[in-house]
Amino acid sequence: MDLASLPPPSRTFSSDNSAGVHPRVLSALAEANEGHALAYGYDAVTRRADERFADLFGRQVDVYYVWSGTGANVMSLTTLLGPAQAVVCTEGSHINVDETGAPERIAGAKLIDLPTPDGKLRPDQLDALAHAIGVEHHAQPGVVSITQSTELGTLYSPDELGALSERAHALGMLVHLDGARIANATAALGGTAEALRSFTVDAGVDVISFGGTKNGMMYGEAVVYLDRSLARAAKYVRKQVTQLPSKMRYISAQFEALLDDGLWIDNARHANELAGQLYKAVAEIPGIELDGPPAVNSLYPRLPRPAIGALQAWSPFYDWDEANRQVRWMASWDTTSDDVERFAAGVRQALDG
Amino acid sequence: MDLASLPPPSRTFSSDNSAGVHPRVLSALAEANEGHALAYGYDAVTRRADERFADLFGRQVDVYYVWSGTGANVMSLTTLLGPAQAVVCTEGSHINVDETGAPERIAGAKLIDLPTPDGKLRPDQLDALAHAIGVEHHAQPGVVSITQSTELGTLYSPDELGALSERAHALGMLVHLDGARIANATAALGGTAEALRSFTVDAGVDVISFGGTKNGMMYGEAVVYLDRSLARAAKYVRKQVTQLPSKMRYISAQFEALLDDGLWIDNARHANELAGQLYKAVAEIPGIELDGPPAVNSLYPRLPRPAIGALQAWSPFYDWDEANRQVRWMASWDTTSDDVERFAAGVRQALDG
Amino acid sequence: MDLASLPPPSRTFSSDNSAGVHPRVLSALAEANEGHALAYGYDAVTRRADERFADLFGRQVDVYYVWSGTGANVMSLTTLLGPAQAVVCTEGSHINVDETGAPERIAGAKLIDLPTPDGKLRPDQLDALAHAIGVEHHAQPGVVSITQSTELGTLYSPDELGALSERAHALGMLVHLDGARIANATAALGGTAEALRSFTVDAGVDVISFGGTKNGMMYGEAVVYLDRSLARAAKYVRKQVTQLPSKMRYISAQFEALLDDGLWIDNARHANELAGQLYKAVAEIPGIELDGPPAVNSLYPRLPRPAIGALQAWSPFYDWDEANRQVRWMASWDTTSDDVERFAAGVRQALDG
Amino acid sequence: MDLASLPPPSRTFSSDNSAGVHPRVLSALAEANEGHALAYGYDAVTRRADERFADLFGRQVDVYYVWSGTGANVMSLTTLLGPAQAVVCTEGSHINVDETGAPERIAGAKLIDLPTPDGKLRPDQLDALAHAIGVEHHAQPGVVSITQSTELGTLYSPDELGALSERAHALGMLVHLDGARIANATAALGGTAEALRSFTVDAGVDVISFGGTKNGMMYGEAVVYLDRSLARAAKYVRKQVTQLPSKMRYISAQFEALLDDGLWIDNARHANELAGQLYKAVAEIPGIELDGPPAVNSLYPRLPRPAIGALQAWSPFYDWDEANRQVRWMASWDTTSDDVERFAAGVRQALDG
């Protein structure tokens, strides 16, 4: 298990948040740095980015650029929820376990977190909540928030998402999609604007947290209201939840670059493919347990405990489910085949050793 | 009043938020974009920026980098306040009138806003709140939040701030300083680290929202806990209030550049000086009403209404107090003498015309 | 100033909250205590009380019984406000200074508190807020909350309240009336259901906190939605803000007794009259400063400081504005002429002494 | 299954909230109705009730009387929690499923709800949360809230509760006990003050929501701080969460009556015994599924669906788990043997029919 003699990969498999900024995005930032521009989005770059989003979704949408993924989710939920309403989500969803209670504190809402083996909600899980509707002792289910691709690296098919939305709407709920990795989902489901629309607009999603940071941007996400009537209070809520960037042009410029010429899909497709390469490179190594090839850009292998520690010391990555010896390996827009080979060599060494 | 023939300044006097990013900050961003770095601040750049802050204040301080000024204020207040406590501030403070109720919603706190002619609180205004202390029907004053330089372009002297802090502490309150323009204040009060310490550390301030965005950065502020015991919950609160940047190195790199070789003071001194130039260039124009030379980087002139509209159409700036025909002109780190001359020429034309 | 030899009144002038429960209310509680009744308002007594309110307002109204006045106000505001909205009120309003920040914490809303010499808002004060409407940096005025009778013992005329409501609605705001002493106002304005309607239904008020406790009940207030469309989330919000009584029949029974045969107006008229008697008995005493006869059941005299302390030690009452030597004397439904005479004798002794 | 010919019981088995007020409590209310008393607890009756609680727990405790059980829980949690902290509770706990999201909205806290077959948390469930402690992405477990007797009619033994508290404290959490039915638990565990202390003071509980309403009072609960240092902000928080009764003497008088001469235990013991009688009367009826005799005052039988509907139409009670045909029958302080016999006769008729 001695890894000392092996060179670790130049880029880790710890997170797509560990990756840098894509050169075209960095160039866009430099280009945006010309003279003065009115703050808070009243500038020409922001107008152009808005148009990119309209083109992408094939319709007018209301876009609000924000700082972070947690910010995008909290803003979305705050605009969608009334008092005494609750958010329905999975037990393992980012809003439930990785946002330090931000939705509860800021949106003031209960999260009804439901168990799921694969990170995906089912329509019948919504039906099971129907008994609470109309009963004053229970927070009223107001929004279903799903993640695509999910926190477990799985995907809703457009049909699955459509069925879930339909049930949600039938029960009086709205549908929010946490799309921190919506690009990876889009790439996996066809890699076109049509693919994106198939599981968003066409599937009945109301509002999207549209991720940028994990896909080659420096910072910035977008809250996209597909149902524009839901955006009435959005501009005030964005400021109230501390998510209004003052020098807005620098976020819009990044999104403009990302949406230009399909860069956002190229980045995500690359990350997905490299995760697939990593899967192939390690799947047969004795001692590793894997559930099959990745749907998007992450693997969740189970490993012997000593190997985990040794590998993390050599090239960092995160525990996923410590009790079950499960870790997460994640490819990024900038992962190279060389990184995959080096990392796989380390895994082999750690498990064979 | 015909301004059509006059070329407007290349850079407006609308806001220091309208300015771009300083070239050295932009370079730092490009340099930080090397390979992978652990997210959320567990990276080398962030450690270096932390050390810069310790050097600046001459002591160990706890620094939390955040997205925005509103975010820095909300995070500060949330960490300092207990339930049923209130924030004491001025009527015109940013937290009271320009943050869309974020402190109330997120910190859950009442703001006790006190009138003041010059944006500065006085110790005896705190004394007047003493009657509420210990009475269960009243929110308990827990934090005094002051702004330096103030929203009206004025400055607390170190002695004034020290006296206010002393009174606040005597009454059981903590002291928060909204330093969105702390660099302009520092430049005006001497332009050295000692000047900074004189109205912060030495004056008894507990926590600072230390501004970066308005002083040549692209984005990013820092919450600086001078009293480190108050930072116990800070890292959790930062995430909960949606202010934890994932790719942290890009904020820390900007701060590192800004604090390097006094750039942060140079930028602010320049802005202050250019506001002074503008004052000299317009003070004698008949029809303009001004209270004297600016203490920092903004002027609040009163103008005839028709002139305001004509000038704004020619080169944008904000109304300050519409009912009183008062506007705000603000210089930035990148304002040039040419900008001042062109703008002054426009003002002269608008008022003479 | 020696008061030792004078017997203090049997009932103090400290507060209508110091008074006991009217005998007919107490009897109603005993009568309601028969066998079992479904909890949370699904009982016959509550249905009957609802009908009393419909009769009183001459229309179907949605009534939600709650524990307390603060609870009624917080519930009202929480149902009326959207995110990022603010409540407009007077500086001295109960919601602003006597509810320990409950509206901010629970409704999550900013209170925009406006100065007023007599506890009454004016339409032009709303106009002055119009500049903030539509601007994302400012909490959006969503509700005007007024108090009738006011915290200063004054009254809006029906016309004044109508004009204020009209302006509020024109600006997109809803109107909440804090009626902790609505009975005293009704008694003062004519003492009939028509009088009540003149400054509520007819004046455009949307929701009322209808007081019971201060008017002879043991506990209990009612949130009355005159605009029933605003009550959609009310039953959930009542529970969420901790204001849903389980053994509801005991609140409804009290309201039924109070609304029966005009007891609620009789109680209030009595309190008003006794305050008037007290005014007559003390107005001419040298050293007392009074602004004229009371509109409802309270006086706000200014007295020499030593007399205040001596009187409070003899028969307790509250300071109102300590800095101005102003106190509050308040008559209740159970105050007697003998109480007035004894108290006035004490005042005379304290001031002459 | 024809129940028409059978007389239903005079008192239902729907809830202890459906019961009336005990005659001694009602008398105490009438006795308290003498003259004036200062509001908000500054009265003699309240001082006496405080002493009763001190006697009961055998030590000085800080007692805050409040309106309701939800109010007591929300007040407890709000005083115990810091920002970014979470409450650990069971999935089926009242705070999680029967308070309409009040803890989330008012305390601003996430609820980490854990599965449990019997309504009781285990120490190892706390251990499983340790991985989140110190990680900024997760709400920090700050309070363990348990219910005694539980929502499922079960009991923690003093040892079980002691072990849980010990683990909680070791992990840095405080312990809150929702004692809406603490009297039933006390009666079941020995029926003495020592029994009460064995699972509260001696077991390391920090704060109790001490129930009164379900045990023969008209309204009113008490938040009892066993660790008085935790009560520092309690009086302000009580008002802020809308739980400060103005005419306080009427709640204290009820508690004084209840704690006098063991009435609170007698009431609860009676309810427990009558639930036991009901169990014996129905356990052998074919078609009923029961898990054994009740620990306190409620049964959770499973019945054929048609029988449920017929019985509820005849004498109301609540569904517990509709999907599993499970209902709840609950005895009260005023349930009689005759009620039990009549109800059992109905059950027999419904199942035999």
Side-chain angles (χ1 to χ4, degrees):
Chain A
M1 194 152 54
D2 182 19
L3 291 159
S5 62
L6 284 177
S10 300
R11 280 152 293 268
T12 71
F13 290 84
S14 60
S15 170
D16 34 20
N17 276 324
S18 302
V21 181
H22 191 279
R24 278 165 58 189
V25 172
L26 207 60
S27 297
L29 284 171
E31 277 164 38
N33 197 33
E34 272 301 305
H36 275 209
L38 283 183
Y40 304 115
Y42 298 94
D43 66 87
V45 188
T46 301
R47 278 197 303 277
R48 293 202 309 264
D50 285 351
E51 282 160 26
R52 293 274 181 187
F53 272 105
D55 290 347
L56 185 61
F57 285 100
R59 55 159 66 189
Q60 288 305 308
V61 293
D62 278 1
V63 185
Y64 290 83
Y65 306 97
V66 297
W67 296 114
S68 74
T70 295
N73 289 338
V74 166
M75 178 186 166
S76 298
L77 298 177
T78 302
T79 48
L80 300 186
L81 288 165
Q85 290 193 329
V87 181
V88 181
C89 59
T90 68
E91 265 183 359
S93 60
H94 198 268
I95 56 170
N96 192 46
V97 295
D98 284 304
E99 300 187 353
T100 319
E104 284 91 345
R105 185 174 188 99
I106 302 179
K110 169 175 277 300
L111 266 57
I112 300 176
D113 56 311
L114 302 177
T116 155
D118 57 2
K120 294 159 64 178
L121 286 178
R122 267 73 182 177
D124 60 2
Q125 294 183 288
L126 302 187
D127 291 335
L129 298 170
H131 74 94
I133 297 176
V135 180
E136 67 229 77
H137 306 291
H138 310 315
Q140 297 295 296
V143 172
V144 177
S145 179
I146 59 102
T147 310
Q148 171 86 320
S149 57
T150 76
E151 291 82 1
L152 290 170
T154 57
L155 284 167
Y156 289 86
S157 74
D159 283 352
E160 286 172 340
L161 231 162
L164 190 70
S165 291
E166 193 177 33
R167 202 67 59 88
H169 290 146
L171 288 163
M173 299 182 226
L174 297 167
V175 179
H176 167 250
L177 188 152
D178 178 351
R181 293 189 181 93
I182 196 170
N184 303 85
T186 302
L189 289 168
T192 60
E194 287 66 38
L196 170 68
R197 295 173 200 169
S198 72
F199 70 85
T200 55
V201 175
D202 302 344
V205 168
D206 295 301
V207 178
I208 300 171
S209 296
F210 195 103
T213 313
K214 295 177 199 296
N215 195 28
M217 281 174 52
M218 183 182 286
Y219 65 103
E221 315 275 307
V223 177
V224 183
Y225 291 86
L226 302 179
D227 178 345
R228 300 174 73 197
S229 74
L230 299 171
R232 242 171 324 144
K235 77 172 180 171
Y236 311 108
V237 168
R238 175 169 60 176
K239 179 68 183 271
Q240 190 181 42
V241 302
T242 75
Q243 288 291 318
L244 175 62
S246 53
K247 294 181 170 176
M248 182 74 87
R249 55 173 150 165
Y250 297 101
I251 290 191
S252 349
Q254 293 181 75
F255 267 114
E256 193 186 19
L258 205 66
L259 297 186
D260 183 51
D261 204 18
L263 178 60
W264 74 292
I265 293 183
D266 294 344
N267 278 355
R269 187 189 294 115
H270 177 85
N272 291 357
E273 287 173 359
L274 273 281
Q277 285 186 21
L278 179 61
Y279 174 78
K280 281 184 202 146
V282 301
E284 306 300 326
I285 298 175
I288 198 167
E289 301 167 57
L290 270 165
D291 287 336
V296 283
N297 64 323
S298 51
L299 303 179
Y300 300 80
R302 278 173 299 282
L303 300 173
R305 250 180 251 288
I308 293 175
L311 279 166
Q312 286 175 328
W314 173 72
S315 180
F317 54 85
Y318 291 103
D319 293 317
W320 186 253
D321 180 352
E322 221 175 329
N324 289 312
R325 303 171 291 108
Q326 193 175 25
V327 302
R328 188 189 70 176
W329 295 337
M330 185 164 264
S332 306
W333 69 267
D334 63 352
T335 306
T336 65
S337 295
D338 182 67
D339 295 328
V340 168
E341 281 165 31
R342 289 194 193 197
F343 191 70
V347 173
R348 196 171 301 112
Q349 176 79 3
L351 292 181
D352 284 0
Chain B
M1 192 154 53
D2 183 17
L3 291 159
S5 61
L6 284 177
S10 299
R11 282 152 293 269
T12 70
F13 290 84
S14 59
S15 170
D16 33 20
N17 277 322
S18 302
V21 181
H22 190 279
R24 279 165 58 188
V25 172
L26 206 61
S27 297
L29 284 170
E31 278 163 37
N33 197 34
E34 271 302 304
H36 275 208
L38 284 183
Y40 305 116
Y42 298 95
D43 65 87
V45 188
T46 302
R47 278 197 302 277
R48 292 202 309 264
D50 285 351
E51 282 160 26
R52 294 273 182 188
F53 272 105
D55 290 347
L56 186 60
F57 285 100
R59 53 157 67 186
Q60 289 304 311
V61 292
D62 278 0
V63 185
Y64 290 83
Y65 306 97
V66 297
W67 295 116
S68 73
T70 296
N73 289 338
V74 167
M75 177 184 168
S76 299
L77 297 176
T78 303
T79 49
L80 300 186
L81 288 166
Q85 289 192 329
V87 180
V88 181
C89 59
T90 68
E91 266 183 359
S93 62
H94 198 267
I95 56 170
N96 191 46
V97 296
D98 282 305
E99 300 187 354
T100 320
E104 284 90 345
R105 184 174 190 98
I106 300 179
K110 168 174 279 298
L111 267 57
I112 300 175
D113 57 310
L114 302 178
T116 155
D118 57 2
K120 294 159 64 177
L121 286 178
R122 265 77 181 174
D124 59 0
Q125 293 184 291
L126 303 187
D127 291 334
L129 298 170
H131 75 94
I133 296 177
V135 180
E136 67 229 76
H137 306 290
H138 309 316
Q140 297 295 296
V143 173
V144 176
S145 179
I146 60 102
T147 310
Q148 172 85 321
S149 57
T150 76
E151 292 82 0
L152 289 171
T154 56
L155 284 168
Y156 289 87
S157 74
D159 283 352
E160 286 171 340
L161 232 161
L164 189 69
S165 291
E166 193 177 32
R167 202 67 59 89
H169 289 147
L171 289 164
M173 301 182 225
L174 297 167
V175 179
H176 168 251
L177 187 152
D178 178 350
R181 294 190 181 91
I182 195 170
N184 303 85
T186 302
L189 290 168
T192 61
E194 287 65 38
L196 170 68
R197 294 173 201 169
S198 72
F199 69 85
T200 56
V201 175
D202 303 343
V205 169
D206 295 299
V207 179
I208 300 171
S209 297
F210 194 104
T213 313
K214 296 178 198 295
N215 194 28
M217 281 174 51
M218 184 182 283
Y219 64 105
E221 315 275 307
V223 177
V224 183
Y225 291 85
L226 302 180
D227 178 345
R228 300 174 73 197
S229 73
L230 300 171
R232 244 172 322 146
K235 77 172 180 171
Y236 312 107
V237 168
R238 176 170 59 175
K239 179 68 182 270
Q240 189 180 43
V241 304
T242 78
Q243 287 292 316
L244 175 62
S246 53
K247 294 181 170 178
M248 182 74 87
R249 56 173 147 165
Y250 298 101
I251 289 191
S252 348
Q254 293 181 74
F255 267 114
E256 194 187 16
L258 205 66
L259 298 187
D260 184 51
D261 204 19
L263 177 59
W264 74 291
I265 292 181
D266 293 344
N267 279 354
R269 186 188 297 115
H270 178 86
N272 291 356
E273 287 172 359
L274 274 281
Q277 285 187 20
L278 181 60
Y279 173 79
K280 282 183 202 148
V282 302
E284 306 300 325
I285 299 175
I288 198 168
E289 302 168 56
L290 270 164
D291 286 337
V296 283
N297 65 323
S298 49
L299 304 179
Y300 300 81
R302 279 173 299 282
L303 300 174
R305 252 179 250 289
I308 292 175
L311 278 165
Q312 286 175 327
W314 173 71
S315 180
F317 54 84
Y318 291 103
D319 291 318
W320 187 253
D321 180 353
E322 222 175 328
N324 289 313
R325 302 170 292 107
Q326 192 174 26
V327 301
R328 188 189 70 177
W329 295 336
M330 185 164 263
S332 307
W333 68 267
D334 64 352
T335 307
T336 65
S337 294
D338 182 67
D339 293 328
V340 168
E341 282 164 31
R342 290 197 194 195
F343 191 69
V347 173
R348 197 171 300 112
Q349 177 78 5
L351 292 179
D352 284 1
Chain C
M1 194 153 55
D2 183 17
L3 291 159
S5 60
L6 284 178
S10 300
R11 281 152 292 269
T12 70
F13 290 84
S14 60
S15 169
D16 34 19
N17 276 323
S18 302
V21 182
H22 191 278
R24 278 165 59 186
V25 172
L26 205 62
S27 297
L29 284 170
E31 277 163 38
N33 197 33
E34 272 301 304
H36 274 209
L38 284 182
Y40 304 116
Y42 297 96
D43 66 87
V45 188
T46 301
R47 278 197 302 277
R48 292 201 309 262
D50 285 351
E51 281 161 25
R52 294 272 180 188
F53 272 105
D55 290 348
L56 186 60
F57 284 100
R59 53 157 67 187
Q60 288 305 310
V61 292
D62 279 0
V63 185
Y64 289 84
Y65 306 97
V66 296
W67 296 115
S68 74
T70 296
N73 289 339
V74 166
M75 177 185 167
S76 298
L77 298 177
T78 303
T79 49
L80 300 186
L81 289 165
Q85 289 192 330
V87 181
V88 182
C89 59
T90 68
E91 265 183 359
S93 61
H94 198 268
I95 58 171
N96 192 47
V97 294
D98 283 304
E99 301 188 352
T100 320
E104 284 90 345
R105 184 172 189 101
I106 302 179
K110 170 176 275 301
L111 267 57
I112 300 175
D113 57 310
L114 303 178
T116 154
D118 56 2
K120 294 159 65 178
L121 287 177
R122 265 76 182 175
D124 60 0
Q125 293 183 289
L126 303 186
D127 290 336
L129 299 170
H131 74 95
I133 296 176
V135 180
E136 67 231 75
H137 306 291
H138 310 315
Q140 297 294 296
V143 172
V144 176
S145 179
I146 59 102
T147 309
Q148 172 84 323
S149 59
T150 76
E151 293 82 0
L152 289 172
T154 56
L155 285 168
Y156 289 87
S157 73
D159 282 353
E160 286 172 340
L161 231 162
L164 190 70
S165 291
E166 193 176 34
R167 203 67 59 88
H169 290 147
L171 289 164
M173 301 182 226
L174 297 167
V175 179
H176 167 251
L177 186 151
D178 178 350
R181 295 192 180 90
I182 196 171
N184 303 85
T186 303
L189 290 167
T192 61
E194 287 66 38
L196 171 67
R197 295 174 200 168
S198 72
F199 70 85
T200 56
V201 176
D202 302 343
V205 169
D206 295 302
V207 179
I208 301 171
S209 296
F210 194 105
T213 312
K214 295 178 199 295
N215 195 28
M217 280 175 53
M218 184 182 283
Y219 64 105
E221 314 275 307
V223 177
V224 182
Y225 291 85
L226 302 179
D227 179 343
R228 299 174 73 199
S229 73
L230 299 171
R232 244 172 323 146
K235 75 172 181 172
Y236 312 109
V237 169
R238 177 170 58 176
K239 178 69 182 269
Q240 190 180 43
V241 303
T242 78
Q243 288 290 318
L244 175 61
S246 52
K247 295 182 170 177
M248 182 75 87
R249 55 173 149 166
Y250 298 102
I251 290 191
S252 348
Q254 293 181 73
F255 267 115
E256 194 187 16
L258 205 65
L259 298 187
D260 183 51
D261 204 18
L263 177 61
W264 75 291
I265 292 183
D266 293 344
N267 279 354
R269 187 189 295 116
H270 177 85
N272 291 358
E273 286 172 1
L274 274 280
Q277 285 185 20
L278 180 61
Y279 174 78
K280 281 184 201 145
V282 301
E284 305 301 326
I285 299 176
I288 198 167
E289 301 168 55
L290 271 164
D291 286 337
V296 282
N297 64 323
S298 50
L299 304 179
Y300 300 80
R302 279 174 299 281
L303 300 173
R305 253 180 250 287
I308 293 175
L311 279 166
Q312 286 175 327
W314 172 73
S315 180
F317 54 84
Y318 291 103
D319 291 318
W320 187 254
D321 180 352
E322 221 176 327
N324 289 313
R325 302 172 294 106
Q326 192 174 26
V327 301
R328 187 189 71 176
W329 295 336
M330 185 164 264
S332 307
W333 68 267
D334 63 352
T335 305
T336 65
S337 294
D338 182 66
D339 294 328
V340 168
E341 281 164 32
R342 289 194 195 199
F343 191 70
V347 174
R348 197 170 301 114
Q349 176 77 3
L351 293 179
D352 284 1
Chain D
M1 194 155 51
D2 182 18
L3 291 159
S5 61
L6 284 177
S10 299
R11 280 153 293 269
T12 71
F13 290 84
S14 58
S15 169
D16 35 20
N17 277 323
S18 302
V21 181
H22 191 279
R24 278 165 57 188
V25 172
L26 206 61
S27 296
L29 285 170
E31 277 163 38
N33 197 33
E34 272 302 305
H36 275 209
L38 283 183
Y40 305 117
Y42 298 95
D43 66 87
V45 188
T46 301
R47 279 197 302 276
R48 292 201 309 262
D50 285 352
E51 283 161 26
R52 294 272 181 187
F53 272 106
D55 290 347
L56 186 61
F57 284 100
R59 55 158 67 189
Q60 290 303 312
V61 292
D62 279 0
V63 185
Y64 290 83
Y65 306 96
V66 297
W67 296 115
S68 74
T70 296
N73 289 338
V74 166
M75 178 186 166
S76 298
L77 298 176
T78 302
T79 48
L80 300 185
L81 290 165
Q85 290 193 329
V87 181
V88 182
C89 59
T90 68
E91 265 183 2
S93 61
H94 198 267
I95 57 171
N96 192 47
V97 295
D98 283 304
E99 300 188 352
T100 319
E104 285 90 346
R105 185 173 189 99
I106 301 179
K110 169 174 278 300
L111 267 56
I112 300 176
D113 55 312
L114 303 177
T116 155
D118 57 2
K120 293 158 64 178
L121 287 177
R122 267 76 181 174
D124 61 0
Q125 293 184 290
L126 302 187
D127 290 335
L129 299 170
H131 75 93
I133 296 177
V135 180
E136 67 229 75
H137 306 291
H138 310 315
Q140 297 295 297
V143 173
V144 177
S145 178
I146 59 102
T147 311
Q148 173 86 319
S149 59
T150 76
E151 292 82 0
L152 290 171
T154 56
L155 285 168
Y156 289 87
S157 73
D159 282 352
E160 288 172 338
L161 232 161
L164 189 70
S165 290
E166 193 176 34
R167 204 66 60 87
H169 290 147
L171 289 163
M173 301 183 225
L174 297 168
V175 179
H176 168 250
L177 187 152
D178 178 351
R181 293 188 182 93
I182 196 170
N184 303 86
T186 302
L189 289 168
T192 60
E194 287 66 38
L196 171 68
R197 295 174 200 167
S198 72
F199 69 85
T200 55
V201 175
D202 302 343
V205 168
D206 295 302
V207 179
I208 301 171
S209 297
F210 195 102
T213 313
K214 295 177 200 293
N215 195 28
M217 280 174 53
M218 184 182 283
Y219 66 102
E221 315 275 306
V223 177
V224 182
Y225 291 85
L226 302 180
D227 179 345
R228 299 174 73 197
S229 74
L230 300 170
R232 243 171 325 147
K235 76 172 182 173
Y236 312 108
V237 168
R238 176 168 61 176
K239 178 68 182 271
Q240 190 181 42
V241 304
T242 78
Q243 288 290 317
L244 175 62
S246 52
K247 295 180 170 178
M248 183 75 86
R249 55 173 151 166
Y250 298 102
I251 290 191
S252 348
Q254 293 181 75
F255 267 114
E256 193 187 17
L258 205 66
L259 297 186
D260 183 51
D261 203 19
L263 177 61
W264 74 292
I265 293 183
D266 294 342
N267 278 354
R269 186 188 297 116
H270 178 85
N272 291 358
E273 286 173 359
L274 273 282
Q277 284 186 20
L278 180 62
Y279 174 77
K280 281 184 202 146
V282 301
E284 304 301 324
I285 299 175
I288 198 167
E289 301 168 58
L290 270 165
D291 287 337
V296 283
N297 64 323
S298 51
L299 304 179
Y300 300 80
R302 280 173 298 281
L303 300 174
R305 252 179 251 288
I308 292 174
L311 277 165
Q312 286 175 327
W314 173 72
S315 180
F317 54 84
Y318 290 103
D319 292 318
W320 187 253
D321 180 352
E322 220 175 329
N324 288 314
R325 304 171 290 107
Q326 192 174 26
V327 301
R328 188 189 70 176
W329 296 336
M330 185 163 263
S332 307
W333 69 268
D334 63 351
T335 306
T336 65
S337 294
D338 182 67
D339 294 330
V340 168
E341 281 164 32
R342 289 195 195 197
F343 191 69
V347 174
R348 196 171 301 113
Q349 176 77 2
L351 292 180
D352 284 0

